[in-house]
């Protein structure tokens, strides 16, 4: 009888669901409740089952039939959301709306589409772009003497400035019809990366005009007249641009800029009663400002006279001001960590400018913040990652060579495990960051504006760049700390914090932007729910909110189940499109994607608006998202490179390190979640059988160190795109020559060592021993010359610079 009642109840429920064409939510709920009841129906009386069945029917109808659910359930929840949802400021809303959602959306989905990842085109350059790298960029790098630039001149030499301008380096993003090079993001990134491997000052000088600034803003928002007037002059280097946003009282909180302008009539260029703006500003840290001829300026615009109509406070507005405009002050310089790129303050007090100086004209009044947010992705996605990877590649190549050439205790220092450890980090971080740099540039080239991803790549490229430079200095020891023409590391080491600080300080980026913006922007339902909450049309809002809310519920339940099941198997059992040595990484990332989506939903549901203030929790969630993105880029790179088996140590170390860090980040989230019950539930769903992942092994580190110390295809692929001088008088050129010479001379050195041990050679010094061996016929005269050259190269590599006292005096 009991079973019959349950069957009838089930039939009634499914009939109602079918009649109302209920969503999948209803069917899932019905099945999830009915199946357990059937299993235990014998324990209940018929009357109890009837009550349960009626309650179940009511529950399913109430929550499963949209026509019933909307006015009863969704409308009530919508009212609650409108009451408790924290206010989003105008600047926050524009930051959230800026850009597009790309691969990070898949990572948020709980089930990334790996075939989609590998269907993205391979990263490549056009013939024209490659030719520019092989010729103009090569020539520029050969002209650069970073010691002379940073120590003697505190500036680029005049011939370098001229070369940069006439060869179009300032116009890489400008279309050809305006005289620019119209390069892809991939080429833009490659150019900056190569120049950065030679000189940080030159790299910044090249990248800033092609990043967030006048050219990009004009391309996207300028009037036709503004484009015609300025773009060609910018492309040819006739105009030197800068963009002024940051000031003493508005750094990371750029929306709080006190700089202001007031719409009024005034005199301009000899004409009276010109409608314009009287602007006052004080900005600092503005790259190229000391030499700029064209100043992009962000300020808050006010219209108390209502000359433009509408409100008095018109919002952040952007203008383009020639620096010879009366009242504009530039010229003084900051000196950021001994880097010589032009950077300094600019001020203006009640400077009158006509309305046509507003970028985009009066139609763009008050749209400045949105314009900046939409364009910021270029600086974060291209310039800073490219400059970081240029230094990382230089460090990887030189550290490997130095660790092989430099000997202590009669063996190369790179064979000591203490040196293998930093070499492994240098190699693997360089491999992963370069993969992410290329992948992110690809996103821009296919039309994406990935605001969340741009924050991820900016943060991790510069942070890992710092790790690599610290490790490189440790490997080089005393060679690294003595400044001079033969020190190829120290300036990069000194200047590493610059990239970490600009374009959104890394602390802010990690704790507030990556997850804080990504949780809303990349989640498949949250942005829709927020939009419905703020929609003034009640019926439309209710329909949108209902669809988003219950889609969100199914999404969360599905990820909870997937997270638990995949946690039990550590990702095993999932079918992956790649059945090779690396398929396990796809499984583990899918598992963590489900756990991440679940954790994000739990954090937002339980903490609500207070999540904004839980910065450490947000940072750890951002770490998970970031590591998954870096892993995705690394797997794609390996496949795009043709899956070379020789590169597997780099891939394995990078992936295992990232996956272990994901595990640690999840552990931090769970341990520090403010609700004890949620901590237990999350721990059970994400790590049902505990934590099993380990950091990379010492064996992998040994293999990477060997790859860096040995010329070969893997080493060349890892450092491809950096500038490599073939001049043995150049510090890096000499080191590369010394590496090849050391390896070639090993058999001869072995002969000399054996002869010395046996007593045949008695000379105490190496050069004398070579001559003695030649005279005794142990080696030929030609071999003696080869060993003498090898000694000279090794000595040049090992020696450090020294100076007469007057050479180091300031203003000598």
């Amino acid at each position: 009888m009991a079973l019959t009642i349950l069957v009838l109840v089930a039939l009634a429920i499914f009939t109602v669901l079918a009649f109302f064409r209920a969503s999948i939510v209803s069917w899932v709920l019905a099945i999830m409740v009915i199946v357990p009841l059937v299993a235990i129906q014998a324990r209940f009386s018929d009357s109890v089952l009837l009550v349960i069945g009626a309650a179940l029917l009511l529950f399913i109808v109430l929550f499963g039939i949209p026509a019933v659910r909307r006015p009863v359930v969704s409308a009530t929840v919508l009212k609650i959301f409108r009451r408790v949802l924290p206010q989003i400021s105008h600047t926050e809303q524009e930051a959230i709306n800026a850009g597009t959602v790309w691969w990070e959306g898949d990572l948020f989905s709980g089930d990334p589409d790996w075939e989609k990842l590998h269907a993205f085109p391979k990263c490549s350059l056009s013939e024209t772009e490659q030719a520019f790298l092989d010729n103009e960029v090569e020539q520029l790098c050969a002209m650069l003497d970073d010691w002379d630039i940073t120590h003697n001149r505190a500036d680029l030499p005049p011939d370098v400035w001229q070369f940069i301008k006439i060869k179009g380096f300032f116009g890489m993003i400008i279309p050809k019809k305006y005289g620019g090079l119209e390069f892809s993001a991939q080429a833009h990134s490659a150019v900056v990366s190569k120049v950065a491997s030679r000189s940080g000052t030159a790299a910044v000088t090249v990248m800033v005009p092609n990043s967030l600034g006048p050219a990009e803003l004009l391309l996207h928002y300028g009037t036709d007249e503004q484009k015609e007037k300025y773009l060609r002059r910018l492309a040819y280097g006739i105009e030197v641009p800068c963009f002024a946003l940051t000031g003493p009282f508005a750094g990371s909180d750029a929306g709080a800029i006190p700089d202001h302008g007031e719409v009024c009539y005034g005199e301009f260029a000899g004409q009276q009663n010109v409608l314009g703006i009287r602007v006052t500003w004080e900005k600092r840290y503005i790259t190229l400002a000391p030499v700029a001829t064209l100043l992009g300026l962000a300020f808050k615009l006010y219209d108390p006279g209502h000359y433009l109509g509408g409100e008095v406070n018109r919002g952040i507005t952007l203008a383009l001001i020639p620096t010879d405009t009366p009242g504009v002050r530039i010229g003084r310089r900051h000196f950021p960590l001994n880097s010589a790129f032009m950077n300094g303050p600019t001020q203006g007090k009640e400077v009158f400018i006509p309305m046509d100086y507003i970028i985009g004209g009066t139609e763009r009044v008050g749209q400045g913040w949105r314009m900046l947010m939409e364009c910021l992705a270029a600086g974060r996605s291209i310039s800073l990652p490219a400059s970081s990877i240029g230094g990382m590649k230089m460090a990887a190549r030189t550290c490997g060579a130095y660790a092989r050439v430099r000997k202590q205790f009669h063996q190369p220092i790179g064979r000591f495990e203490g040196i293998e450890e930093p070499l492994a980090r240098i190699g693997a971080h360089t491999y992963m960051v370069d993969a992410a740099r290329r992948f992110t540039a690809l996103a821009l080239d296919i039309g994406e504006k990935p605001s969340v991803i741009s924050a991820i790549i900016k943060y991790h490229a510069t942070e890992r760049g710092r790790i690599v430079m610290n490790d490189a200095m440790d490997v080089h020891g005393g060679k690294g700390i003595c400044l001079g023409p033969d020190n190829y590391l120290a300036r990069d080491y000194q200047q590493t914090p610059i990239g970490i600080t600009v374009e959104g300080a890394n602390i802010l980026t990690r704790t507030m932007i990556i997850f804080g913006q990504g949780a809303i922007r990349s989640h498949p339902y949250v942005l829709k729910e927020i939009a419905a909450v703020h929609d003034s049309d009640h019926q439309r809002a209710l329909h949108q909110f209902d669809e988003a809310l219950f889609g969100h519920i199914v999404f969360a339940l599905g990820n909870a189940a997937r997270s638990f099941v995949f946690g039990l198997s550590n990702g095993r059992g999932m079918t992956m499109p790649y059945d090779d040595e690396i398929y396990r990484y796809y499984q583990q990332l899918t598992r963590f994607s489900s756990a991440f989506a679940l954790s994000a939903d739990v954090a937002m549901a339980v903490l609500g608006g207070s999540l904004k203030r839980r910065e450490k929790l947000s940072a750890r969630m951002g770490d998970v998202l970031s590591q998954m993105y870096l892993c995705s880029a690394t797997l794609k790179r390996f496949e795009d490179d043709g899956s070379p088996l020789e590169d597997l140590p780099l891939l394995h170390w990078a992936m295992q390190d990232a996956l272990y860090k994901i595990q640690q980040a999840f552990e931090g989230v769970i341990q520090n979640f403010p609700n004890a019950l949620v901590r237990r539930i999350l721990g059970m769903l994400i790590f049902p059988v505990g934590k099993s992942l380990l950091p990379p092994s010492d064996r992998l580190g040994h293999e990477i160190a060997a790859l860096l110390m040995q010329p070969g295809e893997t080493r060349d692929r890892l450092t491809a795109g950096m500038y490599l001088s073939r001049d043995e008088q150049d510090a890096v050129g000499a080191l590369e020559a010394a590496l090849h010479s050391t390896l070639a001379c090993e058999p001869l050195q072995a002969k000399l060592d054996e002869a010395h041990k046996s007593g045949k050679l008695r000379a105490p010094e190496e050069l004398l021993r070579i001559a003695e061996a030649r005279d005794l016929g142990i080696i030929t005269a030609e071999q003696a010359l080869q060993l003498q050259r090898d000694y000279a190269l090794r000595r040049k590599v090992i020696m450090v610079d020294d100076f007469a006292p007057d050479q180091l005096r300031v203003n000598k």
Side-chain angles (χ1 to χ4, degrees):
M1 182 62 180
L3 184 59
T4 302
I5 291 173
L6 276 179
V7 170
L8 289 174
V9 170
L11 285 173
I13 290 171
F14 292 140
T15 300
V16 171
L17 295 181
F19 180 80
F20 285 99
R21 297 180 182 179
S23 66
I24 189 66
V25 182
S26 316
W27 294 93
V28 171
L29 287 172
I31 293 169
M32 285 177 63
V33 178
I34 289 172
V35 170
L37 280 177
V38 171
I40 62 171
Q41 47 84 23
R43 299 184 182 182
F44 298 100
S45 66
D46 294 348
S47 58
V48 171
L49 284 175
L50 280 172
V51 172
I52 293 174
L56 177 59
L57 180 60
L58 178 63
F59 177 80
I60 296 300
V61 170
L62 191 60
F63 286 91
I65 309 303
V68 179
R69 183 180 67 212
R70 285 193 202 105
V72 179
V73 179
S74 298
T76 303
V77 177
L78 180 58
K79 287 180 183 178
I80 296 172
F81 267 52
R82 282 177 167 161
R83 188 169 62 250
V84 303
L85 193 69
Q87 280 295 111
I88 298 177
S89 69
H90 180 66
T91 53
E92 286 178 318
Q93 188 63 55
E94 289 194 329
I96 290 169
N97 292 339
T100 59
V101 177
W102 189 50
W103 179 247
E104 73 274 29
D106 272 73
L107 298 176
F108 246 106
S109 73
D111 188 18
D113 184 348
W114 299 113
E115 290 185 346
K116 171 184 170 182
L117 174 74
H118 292 286
F120 291 128
K122 292 183 179 180
C123 304
S124 61
L125 303 176
S126 69
E127 290 184 8
T128 301
E129 292 168 342
Q130 188 61 57
F132 188 83
L133 275 169
D134 295 340
N135 294 286
E136 284 85 350
V137 180
E138 191 79 7
Q139 293 173 49
L140 173 60
C141 289
M143 297 168 69
L144 299 172
D145 179 342
D146 204 45
W147 175 251
D148 179 54
I149 291 168
T150 57
H151 181 72
N152 297 326
R153 298 175 182 273
D155 192 4
L156 296 172
D159 61 327
V160 171
W161 273 106
Q162 185 65 12
F163 186 86
I164 287 173
K165 291 177 179 180
I166 65 174
K167 294 300 182 179
F169 282 85
F170 282 179
M172 286 191 286
I173 65 171
I174 296 176
K176 292 178 181 177
K177 70 177 183 177
Y178 295 112
L181 297 176
E182 200 172 344
F183 277 177
S184 65
Q186 204 70 238
H188 177 185
S189 176
V191 170
V192 173
S193 175
K194 187 168 185 174
V195 176
S197 70
R198 184 65 167 174
S199 166
T201 297
V204 172
T205 303
V206 166
M207 77 188 194
V208 166
N210 295 285
S211 185
L212 176 61
E216 186 174 16
L217 291 166
L218 285 172
L219 283 171
H220 290 289
Y221 311 109
T223 64
D224 291 339
E225 293 78 7
Q226 289 170 338
K227 291 177 183 178
E228 289 293 338
K229 181 177 181 179
Y230 287 119
L231 286 178
R232 199 173 302 276
R233 294 175 63 82
L234 287 166
Y236 294 154
I238 298 170
E239 301 281 6
V240 177
C242 71
F243 188 81
L245 175 61
T246 302
F249 298 98
S252 296
D253 184 14
I257 55 174
D259 314 286
H260 59 277
E262 183 176 313
V263 181
C264 61
Y265 282 94
E267 179 183 349
F268 186 79
Q271 295 185 13
Q272 302 293 326
N273 294 320
V274 175
L275 183 63
I277 307 168
R278 204 167 294 281
V279 193
T280 297
W281 71 90
E282 182 183 19
K283 305 287 191 178
R284 63 178 181 179
Y285 309 149
I286 311 306
T287 300
L288 295 184
V291 295
T293 61
L294 199 58
L295 169 69
L297 183 68
F299 58 94
K300 289 181 177 176
L301 181 63
Y302 299 90
D303 184 17
H306 300 284
Y307 297 110
L308 303 179
E311 299 177 359
V312 172
N313 185 350
R314 304 306 299 267
I316 294 176
T317 300
L318 310 183
L320 206 53
I321 307 172
T323 56
D324 59 2
T325 301
V328 175
R329 286 187 287 163
I330 61 169
R332 294 187 65 81
R333 294 180 61 180
H334 302 310
F335 193 31
L337 294 174
N338 279 338
S339 183
F341 65 85
M342 290 292 163
N343 182 277
T346 174
Q347 302 90 21
K349 186 173 179 61
E350 296 189 355
V351 176
F352 185 81
I353 61 173
M355 295 301 293
D356 60 8
Y357 278 16
I358 295 174
I359 298 176
T362 54
E363 292 182 4
R364 296 289 181 180
V365 163
Q367 298 182 25
W369 188 248
R370 179 173 63 83
M371 293 159 66
L372 291 173
M373 289 299 98
E374 290 176 351
C375 292
L376 188 60
R380 287 178 175 166
S381 298
I382 300 177
S383 301
L384 293 168
S387 60
S388 290
I389 198 61
M392 293 169 75
K393 288 181 177 181
M394 182 273 295
R397 196 164 187 105
T398 56
C399 283
Y402 187 81
R404 184 63 186 81
V405 171
R406 175 66 163 154
K407 292 183 178 181
Q408 291 288 275
F409 306 103
H410 308 294
Q411 65 174 327
I413 62 171
R415 290 180 181 163
F416 291 95
E417 289 190 354
I419 299 296
E420 284 184 348
E421 191 173 19
L423 285 178
R425 285 194 296 266
I426 290 169
H429 285 323
T430 301
Y431 183 82
M432 178 169 266
V433 170
D434 199 34
R437 174 194 67 86
R438 289 159 48 179
F439 189 44
T440 307
L442 172 65
L444 296 172
D445 283 332
I446 60 178
E448 300 289 342
K449 294 181 179 179
S451 55
V452 175
I453 284 176
S454 69
I456 290 173
I457 183 62
K458 185 271 177 181
Y459 175 83
H460 284 276
T462 54
E463 284 295 335
R464 290 174 187 239
R466 169 156 55 185
I467 293 170
V468 165
M469 293 313 302
N470 284 342
D471 281 336
M473 292 292 284
D474 286 347
V475 170
H476 280 73
K479 171 73 175 178
I481 65 172
C482 292
L483 285 168
D486 284 339
N487 191 324
Y488 38 79
L489 286 177
R491 289 304 194 208
D492 266 348
Y493 172 76
Q494 285 180 310
Q495 295 159 18
T496 292
I498 297 173
I500 286 167
T501 302
V502 301
E503 299 283 5
N506 278 11
I507 290 176
L508 170 76
T509 299
R510 176 174 178 259
T511 58
M512 298 179 68
I513 295 178
I514 294 176
F515 180 71
Q517 187 175 343
I520 297 175
R521 193 73 181 89
S522 305
H523 194 285
Y525 295 103
V526 168
L527 196 58
K528 297 175 184 177
E529 291 166 338
I530 292 175
V533 167
H534 292 103
D535 193 338
S536 58
D537 185 319
H538 179 71
Q539 285 303 315
R540 183 176 62 201
L542 185 57
H543 275 73
Q544 292 176 346
F545 184 76
D546 175 79
E547 183 178 342
L549 175 64
F550 283 88
H552 194 159
I553 291 171
V554 173
F555 175 76
L557 291 173
N559 280 315
R562 287 165 58 85
S563 180
F564 179 72
V565 172
F566 296 157
L568 289 173
S569 66
N570 194 18
R572 290 182 175 85
M574 287 180 278
T575 302
M576 289 291 117
Y578 301 93
D579 187 19
D580 54 22
E581 190 169 348
I582 62 173
Y583 81 98
R584 282 286 295 134
Y585 296 137
Y586 294 101
Q587 291 181 328
Q588 289 165 329
L589 284 172
T590 301
R591 171 205 170 184
F592 282 138
S593 175
S594 297
F596 174 72
L598 168 67
S599 302
D601 279 331
V602 169
M604 288 186 285
V606 175
L607 299 177
S610 69
L611 182 58
K612 289 175 63 175
R613 299 184 294 276
R614 302 276 183 176
E615 294 170 19
K616 287 180 278 190
L617 197 67
S618 178
R620 294 183 182 103
M621 292 295 292
D623 291 342
V624 174
L625 179 60
S626 296
Q627 297 294 347
M628 290 194 296
Y629 178 74
L630 295 174
C631 286
S632 301
T634 302
L635 290 169
K636 177 167 173 57
R637 172 190 179 153
F638 183 72
E639 296 286 345
D640 287 353
D641 285 350
S643 305
L645 296 179
E646 311 85 45
D647 294 1
L648 278 174
L650 292 167
L651 175 78
H652 286 319
W653 200 103
M655 293 296 297
Q656 291 172 22
D657 176 67
L659 289 167
Y660 179 73
K661 287 176 178 173
I662 291 174
Q663 178 179 271
Q664 297 304 100
F666 271 129
E667 183 178 19
V669 169
I670 294 168
Q671 287 181 348
N672 293 281
F673 206 89
N675 185 295
L677 177 61
V678 173
R679 284 200 298 270
R680 288 193 290 271
I681 293 173
L682 280 178
M684 179 188 69
L685 292 176
I686 297 175
F687 298 118
V689 292
K691 295 173 284 295
S692 60
L693 298 180
L694 299 172
S697 68
D698 293 344
R699 177 187 57 80
L700 272 179
H702 172 77
E703 292 176 10
I704 293 174
L707 288 171
L708 293 186
M709 292 191 293
Q710 182 71 32
E713 292 182 359
T714 294
R715 182 169 179 261
D716 289 342
R717 272 192 297 270
L718 181 66
T719 60
M722 68 168 282
Y723 175 72
L724 188 59
S725 174
R726 302 298 176 186
D727 182 1
E728 293 184 8
Q729 297 307 307
D730 177 86
V732 177
L735 179 56
E736 191 72 9
L739 173 63
H740 289 271
S741 175
T742 295
L743 295 172
C745 289
E746 275 190 340
L748 297 177
Q749 288 287 1
K751 273 189 178 183
L752 266 62
D753 290 344
E754 182 63 29
H756 181 64
K757 287 179 182 178
S758 66
K760 294 180 181 178
L761 298 178
R762 300 179 180 275
E765 297 178 4
E766 185 172 350
L767 284 177
L768 294 176
R769 208 156 39 240
I770 291 170
E772 187 181 10
R774 178 198 59 206
D775 295 342
L776 293 174
I778 297 173
I779 57 174
T780 66
E782 183 179 350
Q783 290 172 332
L785 290 174
Q786 184 180 356
L787 286 169
Q788 288 166 355
R789 174 179 175 271
D790 179 63
Y791 174 83
L793 286 170
R794 285 187 286 110
R795 179 177 172 79
K796 178 172 176 55
V797 165
I798 293 168
M799 295 300 290
V800 298
D801 298 286
D802 52 69
F803 305 89
D806 64 335
Q807 290 179 288
L808 297 178
R809 291 190 188 121
V810 178
N811 299 322
K812 55 185 181 290

